[in-house]
Amino acid sequence: MGSYKENETRPRTLAHPGRYNPVRIQQMTSRAGRHIRLSLLPGVSIYDGLVLPLADLGIQYASTTILGGIFSELEYCVAPPDPKGGALIAYSAPLKAGLSQFIFGNATLGTSIKGKPMVHCHAVIRTESGQVKGGHILTETAIVTQQPITVLVTSIDEFSIRQAFDLETNIPLFQPMRGNEDV
Amino acid sequence: MSRESRVESGKMGRISYARILPNEDLVQAVEKLCLVAEFKNAFVRGALGSLVDASMEHRDGQITHIKGPAIEIVSIAGEVRTLSDGSVKADLTGVVSDTEGNTFGGYFVAGGNPICMTLEITLEEWLPQ
């Protein structure tokens, strides 16, 4: 029965280890966001280049678009099934891309479970060997080379983005929160 | 008046940030997010997350299915518009990567991109004049 055959093109519904949360969209809205054009300077990591200047502007939470540029070092992870089975997916060990061209990426600035600034970044890159790859970028070890890299920042000012343990997926994830409560 | 393009002047409005939970469809979840946030029109300001599997359409109508899990969303651009019949439609394009980091690009097919672990997305409301 059904129009799908054994070619596995039908979207799959996966069962996560934790109990299904009936609220599927956790969202918060603010009246406006500040927009900032920021330059990541040579020798600085994505993490430091975002966190420190934005903290000076009083911005702890933001959504950012990182435009193209060159990184002298860059590491990324892919997301295969979790070999330990604690969650459906777990990040791989870091893969070294070397001297890399950053093609396009987005990064979310929030705070970790421990309350420290945290940057979650996914991007498309061209590795030193010439392969176009994508994945989760390790922002603390991604170092800008000679030319500054432009970032468009949209601030989140009226609520927070905080990492919290998610019971359904069994991993910590960014969630919008107001005060000490999640949505 | 220029015939090279159609201009719609306006301004940016509110910001909505959301975490979309697993098994929701990427495109339809963005549309639902606009309903929740009460945005008639919006632009994607940033989004990242993962998909169970991905379905991406190309200009000739062909669809590439990329098998996960997980397929990482590594870039998205797009907008949401309210149509004349009152329905809300998201058009999203971007790049995903598979479990070896190989990349694929195209239009995200509505109904064909279930979220795997999470989607973090920021929409900015667009207010036409």
Side-chain angles (χ1 to χ4, degrees):
Chain A
M1 293 291 286
S3 58
Y4 292 96
K5 298 180 182 177
E6 293 298 318
N7 56 8
E8 297 181 349
T9 58
R10 184 192 185 281
R12 291 183 289 171
T13 300
L14 298 186
H16 287 266
R19 186 169 186 174
Y20 186 86
N21 182 344
V23 178
R24 308 312 289 169
I25 298 177
Q26 300 172 328
Q27 81 91 34
M28 287 192 168
T29 303
S30 59
R31 285 165 289 183
R34 286 179 279 168
H35 296 106
I36 292 143
R37 180 181 184 271
L38 183 146
S39 295
L40 305 176
L41 298 178
V44 171
S45 69
I46 294 176
Y47 182 88
D48 286 341
L50 286 178
V51 170
L52 301 177
L54 292 179
D56 289 342
L57 295 170
I59 295 174
Q60 284 184 283
Y61 312 107
S63 180
T64 74
T65 300
I66 302 172
L67 307 185
I70 309 295
F71 286 86
S72 59
E73 300 170 37
L74 199 144
E75 295 176 296
Y76 68 102
C77 299
V78 293
D82 182 359
K84 296 177 182 174
L88 284 185
I89 298 298
Y91 281 130
S92 68
L95 302 166
K96 291 186 182 299
L99 179 68
S100 301
Q101 180 184 1
F102 195 98
I103 297 172
F104 182 94
N106 283 133
T108 306
L109 171 63
T111 52
S112 71
I113 279 182
K114 295 180 179 176
K116 294 183 176 179
M118 180 175 166
V119 178
H120 186 199
C121 177
H122 285 193
V124 190
I125 58 169
R126 186 176 173 87
T127 69
E128 186 165 348
S129 63
Q131 296 177 297
V132 176
K133 293 285 189 178
H136 169 92
I137 305 298
L138 300 189
T139 60
E140 295 184 47
T141 57
I143 307 297
V144 180
T145 185
Q146 288 93 347
Q147 296 295 321
I149 295 174
T150 301
V151 182
L152 172 63
V153 178
T154 303
S155 71
I156 304 290
D157 294 321
E158 297 176 17
F159 56 90
S160 59
I161 301 172
R162 297 211 299 270
Q163 188 189 39
F165 189 78
D166 178 57
L167 292 171
E168 180 173 327
T169 57
N170 204 33
I171 60 169
L173 293 166
F174 271 163
Q175 299 173 32
M177 297 186 188
R178 207 180 302 278
N180 291 321
E181 301 292 330
D182 58 18
V183 289
Chain B
M1 177 180 281
S2 168
R3 294 184 179 181
E4 284 73 32
S5 58
R6 187 169 57 196
V7 172
E8 180 180 84
S9 297
K11 62 181 182 180
M12 307 312 289
R14 296 168 291 170
I15 302 282
S16 173
Y17 173 89
R19 184 219 162 191
I20 313 287
L21 275 71
N23 295 311
E24 294 297 306
D25 177 67
L26 167 66
V27 177
Q28 292 174 307
V30 172
E31 293 167 352
K32 292 172 193 171
L33 175 56
C34 278
L35 298 180
V36 175
E38 300 182 325
F39 290 178
K40 287 190 171 180
N41 303 291
F43 287 102
V44 176
R45 273 296 182 191
L48 53 102
S50 61
L51 303 170
V52 177
D53 309 297
S55 300
M56 309 203 78
E57 186 175 355
H58 311 297
R59 64 184 172 87
D60 58 3
Q62 293 290 310
I63 294 174
T64 298
H65 297 280
I66 306 113
K67 194 171 185 329
I71 303 298
E72 295 274 67
I73 298 168
V74 290
S75 99
I76 286 189
E79 66 169 350
V80 187
R81 301 285 289 186
T82 295
L83 306 183
S84 58
D85 66 357
S87 64
V88 177
K89 182 170 183 280
D91 286 303
L92 305 177
T93 185
V95 178
V96 298
S97 60
D98 67 12
T99 54
E100 296 180 344
N102 302 310
T103 52
F104 306 83
Y107 299 105
F108 289 98
V109 176
N113 291 284
I115 291 163
C116 185
M117 302 299 277
T118 193
L119 175 75
E120 300 167 22
I121 184 160
T122 303
L123 296 182
E124 190 160 26
E125 185 180 27
W126 171 244
L127 300 165
Q129 278 182 348

